[in-house]
Amino acid sequence: MTRPIEPEDLFRFRFVVAADLSPDGSRVVFAQTRIAPGKEEDDDEVEHSDLHLLEVESGEVRRLTFDDSTNSAPAISPDGSSVAFMSTRTEKPQLWLLPLDGGEPRKLTDLAQGVGGGPVWSPDGSRIAFTAGPQEEPRKPGRPYRIDRTVWRFDEIGVIDDATQDVYVLDATHHAAEPRRLTEDRFMNSMPKWSADGQSLVYVASHDPDSHELMSRLRRVDLEGTVTDLTAPDGLVVCHAPMSDGRVVYVLDFELDKAVGSRASLYVLDPATGTRTRRAADIEGHIEGSIQPDNPASRIGQGQLLLTEGDREAILPVQTGGEIALVLVALGGAESHTVVAGGTRVCLPVSARGQKILFAAFGFTEPGDLYLADLDTGQEQRLTRLNEDVLAELALPTVVPLHFPSIDGAHVEGWFLQPAGSETALPTLLNIHGGPHAGWGAHFNFDNLMFTGAGYGVLLVNHRASTGYGDAFATAI
């Protein structure tokens, strides 16, 4: 016997917010959310995340962290013996290292204001890169503040100077090693990725303190702190990956020479010559397109651009209508692409080792689980079923696809979420997505399910400006 979904059910769901695949493809470490009661009787519930180790062959899952804190961003070492991660178990978030076969975690950093992002292992496992914000005493919000940026605050950041990130590197072979700061320029420096020789890092620099344009660029910094621009700020760098031969693959959105809402481009950049080649021109869908979710797992894999063995192909999420598929794109030779994982769902890339791809998949009524795709065999393996018991209790809505012409004949897609068991006319909520260059589709949105549990129909329409239907549709406004 099932029952309607209720607001409190949100606190029963578990979401995978980060994961990494071991170098040999036999293990996965993932961070899973958990809601815990407050310390005092009247305190609100608190969200934590715990690390778990999953054995791919047997499916066995073992919990690795047990403290009431946020343990996130797991990164398995190149030799597969340990996992580096971020944790709030101390007053400020720091990096920790945990042996995978037993033992206590060891704190790697002790920065005054904590760590902001990472960790990222060097190819030989000798160093760890990460990002961190200002380490001096935080600015007191009640005191006067002198603004000398054109853009001084930003959504989800607040005052930019309070949160700018710099790239750091840490010697992972010495227990008492102090992190070294490699950048110091008031930019928001993020997504550091190691070069194949481990002698430099490619990263994204955004929020230029001297510009009103919110563009970003690729930069390289060596271990001595010398910074080199690789690209001009001619768009937003969504993700990137250094190749073994020194070239860099990256996705650029909101390009300055295109109408806002146009499809993002995939480029292969040769820093030695400064030339770049566009790839994936044969793909009709929107690379790195966005389908709006309402769940904590929606950013898993954000900023990741995965490469297959030998850097022959890139693995990209491509939005077509209300679906996001994982697509394999050839980086050389004739243009070609192959769908690795698709269907009526949202697939997001997480980690790649050789020919194995770890990804997360969501649906209208699926909160997200981990899957493993083997490119050699073409097989897909589901690794987790985190919310199977909770979902079995709930009367979930029927998803009715809608297709109709607009007043000018353009094809428009939408969905009607019909509450379970309903047969008569319903009070209906029209949920309009923002962006506006995004879309509705097969992503887990708890609010919409909660509305159906209360007896409302929910109408979702991908209006003009939605991505996934071509540039003319997205740029019509």
Side-chain angles (χ1 to χ4, degrees):
M1 187 71 176
T2 58
R3 60 168 177 78
I5 193 166
E6 298 174 349
E8 291 75 16
D9 288 317
L10 175 61
F11 303 115
R12 302 177 61 208
F13 283 111
R14 300 291 177 260
F15 298 97
V16 177
V17 292
D20 194 24
L21 181 64
S22 66
D24 64 0
S26 67
R27 290 173 149 184
V28 173
V29 175
F30 64 91
Q32 173 185 309
T33 60
R34 168 174 56 90
I35 302 297
K39 292 184 179 179
E40 302 294 334
E41 184 176 347
D42 295 331
D43 288 349
D44 291 335
E45 290 86 355
V46 180
E47 183 176 86
H48 303 299
S49 58
D50 307 305
L51 297 187
H52 294 74
L53 176 66
L54 183 148
E55 302 288 348
V56 171
E57 186 173 350
S58 66
E60 178 188 352
V61 176
R62 175 165 57 89
R63 186 170 164 180
L64 296 176
T65 58
F66 296 87
D67 57 305
D68 281 342
S69 63
T70 298
N71 300 286
S72 61
I76 300 176
S77 61
D79 65 2
S81 66
S82 57
V83 60
F85 62 100
M86 286 178 57
S87 180
T88 61
R89 62 186 64 206
T90 49
E91 183 182 1
K92 302 291 182 179
Q94 305 289 350
L95 294 187
W96 296 71
L97 186 68
L98 177 68
L100 288 180
D101 290 323
E104 292 298 316
R106 171 171 65 89
K107 189 161 70 168
L108 294 174
T109 62
D110 193 19
L111 296 181
Q113 303 304 327
V115 168
V120 186
W121 289 92
S122 64
D124 64 358
S126 65
R127 297 181 178 93
I128 294 174
F130 62 94
T131 66
Q135 294 302 312
E136 59 269 15
E137 190 68 23
R139 178 183 62 86
K140 290 181 172 57
R143 301 283 295 169
Y145 171 60
R146 180 172 179 262
I147 297 166
D148 60 358
R149 283 179 176 268
T150 307
V151 179
W152 65 278
R153 60 182 177 182
F154 202 74
D155 284 355
E156 299 187 22
I157 293 176
V159 176
I160 295 174
D161 277 331
D162 293 347
T164 54
Q165 295 286 295
D166 278 302
V167 178
Y168 287 72
V169 67
L170 173 72
D171 187 340
T173 64
H174 291 87
H175 283 209
E178 290 292 324
R180 288 191 298 115
R181 184 175 179 176
L182 298 183
T183 65
E184 190 171 358
D185 51 23
R186 299 184 70 201
F187 278 74
M188 186 71 70
N189 298 310
S190 62
M191 293 186 264
K193 306 285 181 66
W194 287 94
S195 60
D197 62 7
Q199 296 305 303
S200 63
L201 291 139
V202 177
Y203 64 97
V204 176
S206 64
H207 297 79
D208 185 337
D210 300 318
S211 175
H212 69 280
E213 293 182 332
L214 294 171
M215 301 290 102
S216 57
R217 68 196 81 185
L218 282 176
R219 284 179 165 169
R220 172 180 284 138
V221 61
D222 64 23
L223 297 180
E224 302 305 317
T226 302
V227 174
T228 306
D229 277 335
L230 299 182
T231 67
D234 55 357
L236 288 181
V237 178
V238 179
C239 54
H240 70 95
M243 302 172 71
S244 56
D245 62 4
R247 293 180 297 163
V248 182
V249 191
Y250 69 104
V251 172
L252 191 67
D253 206 352
F254 295 94
E255 295 177 75
L256 288 178
D257 61 349
K258 292 183 179 180
V260 175
S262 300
R263 289 175 292 178
S265 299
L266 175 70
Y267 290 109
V268 178
L269 171 72
D270 186 349
T273 62
T275 59
R276 68 182 185 183
T277 305
R278 187 182 176 195
R279 301 294 301 182
D282 60 328
I283 289 181
E284 295 182 359
H286 199 114
I287 294 173
E288 295 284 347
S290 173
I291 291 180
Q292 293 205 352
D294 179 33
N295 70 79
S298 61
R299 294 187 177 182
I300 188 170
Q302 190 173 46
Q304 289 281 36
L305 197 162
L306 308 180
L307 302 178
T308 61
E309 199 168 29
D311 298 342
R312 293 188 296 269
E313 299 99 2
I315 301 131
L316 298 168
V318 176
Q319 179 197 358
T320 304
E323 303 171 358
I324 294 182
L326 287 190
V327 177
L328 208 62
V329 178
L331 295 178
E335 290 277 23
S336 67
H337 67 274
T338 307
V339 175
V340 175
T344 308
R345 56 183 179 168
V346 167
C347 300
L348 301 178
V350 175
S351 181
R353 304 293 186 183
Q355 296 296 92
K356 294 182 178 180
I357 304 169
L358 179 69
F359 68 96
F362 305 80
F364 282 103
T365 58
E366 291 289 335
D369 277 295
L370 293 175
Y371 295 75
L372 191 66
D374 190 320
L375 299 182
D376 289 330
T377 65
Q379 298 298 308
E380 180 183 303
Q381 179 182 356
R382 183 170 183 171
L383 300 178
T384 63
R385 297 180 182 272
L386 299 181
N387 297 288
E388 196 170 39
D389 293 344
V390 177
L391 291 171
E393 298 177 15
L394 304 177
L396 299 171
T398 299
V399 180
V400 182
L402 304 174
H403 302 272
F404 54 92
S406 182
I407 55 173
D408 61 354
H411 173 82
V412 177
E413 184 177 24
W415 298 266
F416 181 67
L417 305 187
Q418 181 176 340
S422 63
E423 297 178 356
T424 60
L426 295 164
T428 295
L429 300 174
L430 172 63
N431 197 345
I432 304 173
H433 74 68
H437 302 295
W440 287 124
H443 216 327
F444 187 77
N445 188 298
F446 183 80
D447 275 1
N448 289 335
L449 299 185
M450 181 177 65
F451 294 145
T452 66
Y456 291 92
V458 178
L459 179 60
L460 310 173
V461 177
N462 277 344
H463 53 69
R464 216 64 65 92
S466 300
T467 51
Y469 303 92
D471 287 355
F473 192 95
T475 62
I477 64 166

